[in-house]
Amino acid sequence: MKPIESKFAAQLYTVREELKTDFPNVLRELKKMGWAGVQISGLHGYDPKEIASVLDETGLGTAGMHIPLQRLTDDLEQVLEEARIFHTRDVICPYLPQEYQNAEGYTLVRQRLNEVARKVADQNVRISYHNHNFEFKTLINGKSALEYLLEPSNTNAVLAEIDVYWVKKGGKDPVSFIKPYANRMPIIHLKDMTADERETFAEVGTGSIDFNAILRWGELSGVEWYAVEQDVCSGNPMDSLQISLENLRKLALSLA
């Protein structure tokens, strides 16, 4: 089994503004910081081959790519080419436009993601879905739309990329919620929530979410990457990623 420290990845949405100025240098700084990988959420006008060359130079792994639903259905060949360039198996739908956030829309999304998953299965590519909290507002067959999309069954090829912050924001316990997705979640999103009435984004290990239990579960349940994302940072996003990584390393020591 890979050491857990080699599975810590920075979700690049956290540093999206910095990437627009100098994507290659941000990657080099993240490697110096100690991250094992990054998760790609947009190229900001850069050529994928240029970014891939910096990943190769630094030794950073690619913890999947976030790709909008429309690109998955309309631009799949180019998406697959980018996955090959970045040496990743994982393509994740990160968000759904408002028009899909209803029972009919979720049904269509599950159908489309399964169609894509079937098309790419012979290329060793996996399709996952990343949640927010709006999926908890719609029920389908007595379950949340998120549980419907990620149903662990032989007829559903959509894998999970659970974001534990948004699960808690949706009123669920993250540790309990992730349990059905053992060996169906190659990447999990780690994001903390402030322990005050704001319940806003926080550096991992500084808020109210039990990451010790999440990491223990992940190491027994097939998680290949722990991707840290912080949508909004109170200060410099690079500093926030440094704090999250230091706290994850401390948690990793407690698991040993």
Side-chain angles (χ1 to χ4, degrees), residues 133-219:
N133 64 328
F134 57 75
E135 298 93 345
F136 292 108
K137 298 175 182 176
T138 302
L139 293 180
I140 301 175
N141 302 329
K143 293 184 177 181
S144 71
L146 181 58
E147 291 166 291
Y148 168 77
L149 286 173
L150 302 180
E151 180 189 7
S153 70
N154 293 333
T155 59
N156 185 25
V158 182
L159 301 179
E161 186 185 76
I162 298 294
D163 184 308
V164 296
Y165 169 91
W166 288 116
V167 169
K168 189 171 179 68
K169 195 76 168 176
K172 308 289 185 182
D173 172 56
V175 177
S176 298
F177 190 84
I178 61 178
K179 288 181 179 178
Y181 307 105
N183 302 309
R184 289 182 68 97
M185 184 153 51
I187 306 168
I188 188 170
H189 260 218
L190 306 187
K191 183 186 303 179
D192 213 343
M193 177 185 286
T194 57
D196 55 26
E197 68 281 353
R198 295 176 301 150
E199 294 190 338
T200 192
F201 311 108
E203 291 77 13
V204 170
T206 68
S208 60
I209 293 178
D210 183 1
F211 288 100
N212 188 290
I214 290 168
L215 294 179
R216 287 185 184 279
W217 177 87
E219 288 302 278

Side-chain angles (χ1 to χ4, degrees), residues 84-139:
R84 285 190 285 271
I85 290 170
F86 292 127
H87 308 300
T88 183
R89 308 179 55 192
D90 291 296
V91 177
I92 303 103
C93 178
Y95 187 79
L96 293 178
Q98 186 75 38
E99 61 263 30
Y100 291 104
Q101 296 177 28
N102 54 67
E104 183 179 348
Y106 290 118
T107 303
L108 182 60
V109 168
R110 175 167 156 164
Q111 175 187 325
R112 286 184 177 173
L113 290 180
N114 271 282
E115 288 171 357
V116 173
R118 283 194 291 272
K119 287 179 183 177
V120 303
D122 63 348
Q123 301 183 54
N124 201 31
V125 172
R126 303 179 289 201
I127 301 298
S128 301
Y129 179 80
H130 167 272
N131 66 291
H132 290 76
N133 64 328
F134 57 75
E135 298 93 345
F136 292 108
K137 298 175 182 176
T138 302
L139 293 180

Side-chain angles (χ1 to χ4, degrees), residues 2 6-12 23 27 30-31 35-43 48-67 79-92 124-126 161 186-189 223-228:
K2 290 172 60 178
S6 68
K7 303 178 185 180
F8 295 154
Q11 219 294 350
L12 293 177
F23 202 137
L27 293 177
L30 290 171
K31 180 61 177 181
W35 291 97
V38 295
Q39 187 174 67
I40 293 170
S41 60
L43 294 174
K49 291 181 180 177
E50 178 184 359
I51 299 307
S53 71
V54 181
L55 294 174
D56 290 342
E57 166 204 321
T58 58
L60 284 167
T62 302
M65 312 186 311
H66 275 196
I67 302 292
V79 169
L80 293 175
E81 177 61 20
E82 290 172 17
R84 285 190 285 271
I85 290 170
F86 292 127
H87 308 300
T88 183
R89 308 179 55 192
D90 291 296
V91 177
I92 303 103
N124 201 31
V125 172
R126 303 179 289 201
E161 186 185 76
I187 306 168
I188 188 170
H189 260 218
V223 171
E224 297 169 20
W225 287 104
Y226 300 90
V228 172

